[in-house]
Amino acid sequence: MSNVAIRVQGLGKEYVIGQQERYGSLRDVLAGIFRRRARAEKKFWALKNVSFELEAGDVLGLIGRNGAGKSTLLKVLSRITQPTEGWAELRGRVGSLLEVGTGFHPELTGRENIYLSGAILGMGRREIQSKFDEIVAFSEVETFLDTQVKHYSSGMFMRLAFAVSAHLQPEILLVDEVLAVGDASFQDKCLGKMQDISGSGRTVVFVSHNMDSIRKLCTRAVHIHGGEVVKIGPAAEIIDGYLSSLRDGRVRGGITFEAEKNGYQIERIEVLDLEGNVKPSIGTWDPVRFRVHFRSAKTIRSGAAVVVIFSSLSGMWLTFCATEPDHVVKVEFNEGENMIDLVFPRFTLSAGKYLISAALAITNGEWLVRTEEVVFEVDARDVFNSGFPPRLPRSIFPQDHRWEPR
């Protein structure tokens, strides 16, 4: 008997640029016909000819740049969107956590949404009740359990949504980038729960920009680029191949990005000295100013944050710099162009290659937009005047120190 939990064959998804996908009425169809007559449509393939099989109990990581098609693939597997061509077969109950609160009804309370989600998964009331206390304890929203979820913060929404998806025990779980947001303690809880799930024989498909999480949690991985499968195989092998393909962004005064989502955009990061002059390179212990240029879809007076992340080439986060909650710097997003400086009086990374990425976020909630990771290089500086500049892999963060013989 076949042990295949997910089988995908020739899957493709085509979109019309500027057109939102929805279930249309006759009026919508007719309006679309007239719009197409008025202007030529621009189309693109978010997925093209994607095929793979996943056995029950496997944990598959989907990796690739922003816009590669990872989230689209999960939406097709979740039956949220229909493929343009090809097909996907999933054997077993499917739970998904694709965006904050996906599948929740905003007018229902947290308690009611727990039962609704379980019913959608085909579970009986008694089965849901047996897991109810665990879900509430994990989500940490007991005080607001009988409040309509439309009044929840993004962080509360996310905690409850993850708790429901992880505890109601579907045979197949689809997870999109939920371990990268929220406070640190909740991220640790999520990672621990994902490890429990992956060891319980359930099938998981997991999207994350954090290669360290993919490496820890996943047995296999798929590298997707431009909507097509580049390679599928053991997680460590696919991650190494993906990291070697990343764009080399050696600093020459700045790094440009192509990151845009729903009107939020991170355009570039200028690399400057403390006086605001262009800095052609970064060296160990150099004073440096990273100027983040971004666009906001609307004015946000509170609750938003700018994030810059420095990672190793293996994808492990080394330094996570956020305006909130780390430093409680209140940042207002103005509609349109914005910029903010991240200042290091002394940049402490050793000489070597690293990854840099940036994001706009709702504090303790979800990403508004996040860039791809770009390789940049830190130049050697003989900061100890020893003739041996600190370099990788011998040292990551060279500390100012001295020895005192006794």
Side-chain angles (χ1 to χ4, degrees):
M1 183 175 178
S2 174
N3 198 35
V4 174
I6 300 176
R7 179 177 284 116
V8 175
Q9 185 64 46
L11 202 65
K13 179 62 183 179
E14 184 184 47
Y15 285 106
V16 177
I17 295 176
Q19 176 178 304
Q20 290 186 336
E21 185 178 49
R22 58 182 177 178
Y23 297 103
S25 64
L26 177 60
R27 179 186 63 185
D28 296 327
V29 173
L30 292 175
I33 292 173
F34 287 117
R35 282 197 299 270
R36 285 194 290 273
R37 288 176 179 174
R39 58 177 170 78
E41 290 181 337
K42 294 183 179 179
K43 300 180 179 181
F44 78 101
W45 287 90
L47 295 173
K48 188 68 175 177
N49 196 30
V50 174
S51 300
F52 64 89
E53 290 185 354
L54 190 63
E55 292 191 355
D58 277 351
V59 182
L60 180 73
L62 300 181
I63 63 177
R65 297 171 183 261
N66 288 334
K70 307 183 298 297
S71 296
T72 300
L73 177 55
L74 286 192
K75 288 178 179 179
V76 172
L77 295 179
S78 301
R79 304 292 191 260
I80 291 174
T81 187
Q82 292 297 312
T84 306
E85 61 184 25
W87 51 271
E89 179 185 13
L90 288 79
R91 297 179 180 176
R93 293 186 300 198
V94 179
S96 61
L97 185 55
L98 307 186
E99 295 176 358
V100 177
T102 297
F104 276 17
H105 195 296
E107 299 296 331
L108 299 181
T109 66
R111 183 187 304 273
E112 291 165 338
N113 270 296
I114 292 173
Y115 283 98
L116 174 64
S117 296
I120 291 172
L121 287 172
M123 294 179 173
R125 187 175 183 84
R126 183 174 298 177
E127 188 177 2
I128 299 169
Q129 285 177 327
S130 69
K131 293 290 182 180
F132 187 87
D133 290 342
E134 290 181 48
I135 292 169
V136 175
F138 189 96
S139 66
E140 302 173 4
V141 299
E142 183 174 4
T143 304
F144 306 96
L145 194 59
D146 293 305
T147 301
Q148 291 173 306
V149 297
K150 67 181 181 181
H151 299 300
Y152 282 16
S153 69
S154 296
M156 293 165 60
F157 223 139
M158 180 192 63
R159 291 200 300 272
L160 185 59
F162 182 89
V164 170
S165 296
H167 286 83
L168 290 183
Q169 296 186 326
E171 285 85 7
I172 298 172
L173 182 61
L174 310 175
V175 185
D176 189 0
E177 199 62 80
V178 297
L179 304 186
V181 288
D183 55 67
S185 62
F186 183 71
Q187 289 181 34
D188 289 341
K189 284 177 66 173
C190 287
L191 277 170
K193 189 62 182 176
M194 288 290 292
Q195 287 174 324
D196 291 344
I197 292 171
S198 64
S200 67
R202 282 184 278 173
T203 306
V204 181
V205 180
F206 178 48
V207 170
S208 178
H209 282 275
N210 190 322
M211 295 300 106
D212 195 45
S213 295
I214 295 282
R215 202 181 291 269
K216 287 178 180 177
L217 294 173
C218 300
T219 53
R220 303 176 70 206
V222 177
H223 177 192
I224 299 179
H225 180 76
E228 300 187 56
V229 173
V230 176
K231 193 173 182 181
I232 182 169
E237 176 186 327
I238 301 303
I239 289 169
D240 291 342
Y242 167 68
L243 291 173
S244 68
S245 73
L246 290 177
R247 178 165 61 91
D248 192 339
R250 285 186 175 86
V251 174
R252 292 293 181 268
I255 301 168
T256 58
F257 296 104
E258 296 179 1
E260 190 277 334
K261 183 178 180 182
N262 299 328
Y264 295 95
Q265 181 178 11
I266 298 176
E267 299 172 327
R268 67 188 186 281
I269 295 180
E270 285 186 280
V271 181
L272 311 169
D273 61 24
L274 295 190
E275 287 70 44
N277 303 308
V278 173
K279 188 174 178 61
S281 64
I282 298 174
T284 303
W285 286 14
D286 279 2
V288 63
R289 182 183 297 269
F290 292 92
R291 180 163 293 168
V292 183
H293 294 259
F294 65 95
R295 295 184 63 86
S296 178
K298 62 181 181 180
T299 298
I300 304 177
R301 295 303 180 200
S302 64
V306 180
V307 179
V308 177
I309 305 168
F310 299 92
S311 308
S312 69
L313 289 182
S314 68
M316 181 178 70
W317 288 0
L318 301 176
T319 302
F320 184 100
C321 303
T323 54
E324 292 187 58
D326 294 7
H327 288 279
V328 197
V329 176
K330 301 297 182 183
V331 177
E332 294 186 358
F333 288 10
N334 297 310
E335 184 176 355
E337 296 282 349
N338 296 263
M339 62 182 179
I340 188 171
D341 288 2
L342 170 62
V343 181
F344 290 91
R346 177 178 282 186
F347 194 69
T348 56
L349 290 177
S350 292
K353 290 185 178 182
Y354 302 88
L355 302 176
I356 182 173
S357 62
L360 307 178
I362 298 297
T363 306
N364 286 334
E366 79 276 14
W367 300 124
L368 296 172
V369 61
R370 185 179 175 189
T371 72
E372 74 276 13
E373 293 171 316
V374 173
V375 177
F376 80 103
E377 189 164 1
V378 176
D379 293 341
R381 299 280 192 272
D382 188 6
V383 296
F384 299 121
N385 296 315
S386 64
F388 295 95
R391 299 177 183 272
L392 292 176
R394 187 180 178 201
S395 172
I396 298 176
F397 299 104
Q399 301 297 312
D400 192 2
H401 66 282
R402 66 178 184 271
W403 291 95
E404 296 181 347
R406 298 292 183 182

